């Protein structure tokens, strides 16, 4: 992968996670970790992303709390290494939870409209988000089955 391609990927992951209400720096750190073959130090992350050590420390704590990264203490040292995990599921689950909350709020609005265009529009939006939650839930369940080796052909 070229340096420009690598930089573009890291920026894209930062943009994506920012759209899920995580700081852009956190997303960029995750993008870098995804591309790293081995666990890397906070200093390496800071240098590569041109971020302060404080910003990297915050980003790594957020990634760890979301299950997107694992912090590996080094025996006899204060130095920490970090690696990406397959925890993107937690972000998808959070997105699903937000969509369910939206559906509940929209359903409360059903009593506020009469038959007609507004009601149809509301039902369409509810249907769209309900489909997203249903499909996403099935996709996550299938992913878990495959990952644990219990998927059946």
């Amino acid at each position: 992968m070229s340096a420009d391609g690598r930089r573009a990927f890291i920026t894209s992951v930062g943009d994506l996670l920012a759209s899920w209400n995580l700081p852009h720096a956190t997303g960029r750190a995750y993008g870098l970790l995804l591309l790293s073959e081995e666990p890397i130090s906070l200093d390496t992350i800071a240098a590569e992303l041109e971020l302060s050590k404080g910003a990297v420390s915050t980003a790594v704590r957020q990634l760890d709390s979301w299950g997107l990264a694992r912090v590996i203490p080094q025996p006899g040292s204060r130095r920490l290494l970090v690696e990406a995990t397959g925890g993107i599921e937690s972000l998808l689950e959070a997105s699903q939870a937000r969509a369910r909350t939206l559906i509940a709020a929209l359903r409360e609005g059903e009593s506020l409209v009469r038959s007609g265009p507004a009601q149809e529009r509301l039902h369409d939006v509810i249907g769209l988000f309900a489909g997203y939650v249903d499909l996403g839930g099935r996709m996550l369940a299938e992913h878990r089955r495959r990952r644990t080796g219990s998927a059946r052909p």
Side-chain angles (χ1 to χ4, degrees):
M1 175 183 282
S2 72
D4 287 342
R6 182 180 172 86
R7 201 169 13 263
F9 174 81
I10 290 169
T11 298
S12 292
V13 173
D15 293 344
L16 173 65
L17 294 189
S19 74
W20 289 349
N21 296 320
L22 286 173
H24 196 259
T26 300
R28 290 178 59 226
Y30 185 58
L32 175 62
L33 291 171
L34 286 171
L35 295 178
S36 299
E37 295 290 332
E38 300 291 327
I40 57 177
S41 70
L42 300 180
D43 289 336
T44 300
I45 296 169
E48 185 145 349
L49 299 179
E50 299 177 345
L51 294 170
S52 71
K53 288 183 183 180
V56 170
S57 179
T58 298
V60 167
R61 276 195 311 276
Q62 289 171 331
L63 291 171
D64 183 52
S65 73
W66 278 89
L68 298 174
R70 182 170 74 101
V71 177
I72 306 164
Q74 298 303 291
S77 172
R78 290 177 34 136
R79 183 178 163 173
L80 301 172
L81 297 178
V82 185
E83 69 181 350
T85 65
I88 195 79
E89 295 165 12
S90 61
L91 281 178
L92 296 175
E93 288 167 348
S95 176
Q96 296 274 302
R98 282 193 302 272
R100 283 190 290 278
T101 300
L102 177 60
I103 291 167
L106 293 170
R107 287 199 168 132
E108 288 179 15
E110 287 180 305
S111 65
L112 302 174
V113 295
R114 294 183 295 238
S115 285
Q119 185 183 58
E120 290 173 25
R121 207 173 27 250
L122 192 54
H123 286 292
D124 284 346
V125 172
I126 291 170
L128 175 67
F129 279 96
Y132 164 73
V133 168
D134 180 56
L135 184 60
R138 286 186 281 142
M139 180 196 72
L140 283 167
E142 178 62 25
H143 173 74
R144 285 186 190 107
R145 277 192 295 276
R146 269 191 259 128
R147 194 180 68 212
T148 60
S150 62
R152 293 190 172 49

